[in-house]
Amino acid sequence: MVRWNDAFVPPVLAQHEFLRRHAGDGPTTIVVDRRRSTDPPLSIDVRIRWLRSVHPTFTVVSAARFDARGCQPVPGGDEAAAARRDPVSAWSVLHPVVQGALTTRVCVVGAESTGKTTLVRAMSERHATKGVGEYGRDYTTAKKDAGTNDHWTTEDFVRIAEEQQRLEDEAAVGAGPLFFCDTDAMTTGLWHERYQGSSSKAVDRLGRMRTYDLFVLCDIDIPWERDAIRLGADTRSAMHRRFLDVLSTERREPWILVAGSVEQRMEAVDDEIRRLRLLTAAAIYAPTRHHLR
């Protein structure tokens, strides 16, 4: 048996490669040590989850539950120190799984025909990162093609919310320090209200489970564009008011309203990211973030 130990705060590519090269032929155990007071506040459960994801054949345990005597240290060197100090500058030394957990998630929401998709694509291109599209639109198009778009159930909205979150997490793996989402499960809950006439506890629960570093609400100041599935300009105005109400009174995350041209909206988002200091080590490693719980 080979036993290795380190705090892995966070684990970096050099450590992963070291573990693969020195695994040996027998069972391999990785012992995750307690972090030092000067380390980022990453919980031991999060670090264990990352290591198990990258090394599924290894046994990964907490030092609190395992006798670490006889374990050999895993060298982290300059990469580990750089990642602790400034994860954005050291982003390339993090495994894609860790990048997916640490990426700053900006969720763009709004009513129909407000430029959400355009903004997500433009911001993703500007920051050379990934984004995730709106699954609900694809789902609605499929229902229309099947001739069932006049019949919606709560189960439809639950499936949309769950798949939106799954696609988001899948796309975030290997993303850059910023990641842009085109709507979320909270939005799905608001559409349940519109289509079904009341809220859904199941859909709203999914929306509350997921938090974001910043919400961006797109204004209705751009011309309405009709397409095959949009409901209408009156619905757009009513939904916009509902988004304003929810973001102002029900959500705890910071949010901004963006208006004007695509470029003006992009600048407003970047200004808010800088104002909130979302790309600092303190913000990225904050233990209150959803994906670090």
Side-chain angles (χ1 to χ4, degrees):
M1 176 183 290
V2 180
R3 298 174 178 175
W4 303 98
N5 77 300
D6 189 77
F8 301 105
V9 190
V12 294
L13 290 177
Q15 291 175 316
H16 293 307
E17 181 59 28
F18 178 90
L19 290 167
R20 279 190 290 267
R21 289 200 317 266
H22 296 85
D25 296 328
T28 297
T29 298
I30 305 174
V31 181
V32 182
D33 282 341
R34 299 175 181 85
R35 64 181 184 86
R36 298 167 299 182
S37 61
T38 55
D39 286 338
L42 295 171
S43 75
I44 200 162
D45 289 339
V46 166
R47 288 174 277 145
I48 287 175
R49 187 165 69 238
W50 288 341
L51 288 161
R52 286 175 176 168
S53 176
V54 180
H55 305 283
T57 63
F58 295 172
T59 298
V60 185
V61 296
S62 165
R65 301 190 179 120
F66 189 88
D67 186 353
R69 287 180 294 182
C71 290
Q72 303 176 58
V74 179
D78 295 338
E79 283 192 4
R84 288 192 292 270
R85 182 175 58 253
D86 185 357
V88 171
S89 296
W91 200 255
S92 62
V93 310
L94 299 173
H95 190 278
V97 167
V98 180
Q99 292 174 341
L102 294 179
T103 186
T104 296
R105 301 191 185 204
V106 178
C107 187
V108 180
V109 298
E112 295 176 324
S113 190
T114 54
K116 301 183 298 296
T117 300
T118 299
L119 182 58
V120 166
R121 289 174 178 170
M123 293 300 296
S124 298
E125 182 177 350
R126 169 178 284 189
H127 291 281
T129 187
K130 297 181 182 180
V132 62
E134 180 183 6
Y135 176 70
R137 182 174 179 83
D138 296 335
Y139 191 93
T140 304
T141 299
K143 281 183 70 72
K144 184 176 186 301
D145 292 344
T148 61
N149 197 35
D150 60 344
H151 178 68
W152 286 83
T153 68
T154 293
E155 287 70 29
D156 286 315
F157 292 91
V158 170
R159 284 197 291 271
I160 290 171
E162 289 177 338
E163 183 65 4
Q164 183 72 42
Q165 292 182 339
R166 189 193 70 79
L167 291 172
E168 177 187 317
D169 290 339
E170 181 181 82
V173 174
L178 282 170
F179 178 70
F180 296 92
C181 309
D182 186 348
T183 76
D184 69 325
M186 174 195 73
T187 298
T188 306
L190 297 184
W191 280 112
H192 185 282
E193 290 182 10
R194 175 59 52 177
Y195 275 82
Q196 304 297 93
S198 63
S199 61
S200 160
K201 291 183 179 179
V203 180
D204 290 347
R205 178 182 61 81
L206 289 166
R208 289 191 299 271
M209 287 171 57
R210 182 67 51 106
T211 60
Y212 295 89
D213 299 289
L214 174 65
F215 273 113
V216 175
L217 174 60
C218 291
D219 207 347
I220 56 175
D221 61 327
I222 62 176
W224 164 264
E225 293 185 10
R226 182 178 300 279
D227 70 8
I229 64 172
R230 287 172 177 162
L231 297 183
D234 291 342
T235 297
R236 182 172 78 152
S237 297
M239 286 295 290
H240 182 67
R241 291 192 297 271
R242 188 72 181 104
F243 273 106
L244 286 170
D245 178 54
V246 169
L247 291 174
S248 298
T249 64
E250 299 180 20
R251 302 291 300 205
R252 296 181 178 181
E253 299 97 321
W255 67 279
I256 57 168
L257 175 67
V258 296
S261 67
V262 175
E263 185 64 29
Q264 288 173 320
R265 294 177 177 209
M266 292 171 69
E267 291 302 317
V269 174
D270 280 337
D271 286 346
E272 189 67 5
I273 289 170
R274 285 190 291 267
R275 188 187 73 81
L276 295 173
R277 299 176 58 81
L278 293 181
L279 294 181
T280 62
I284 289 173
Y285 289 127
T288 55
R289 298 180 72 218
H290 170 80
H291 294 280
L292 297 184
R293 293 176 187 168

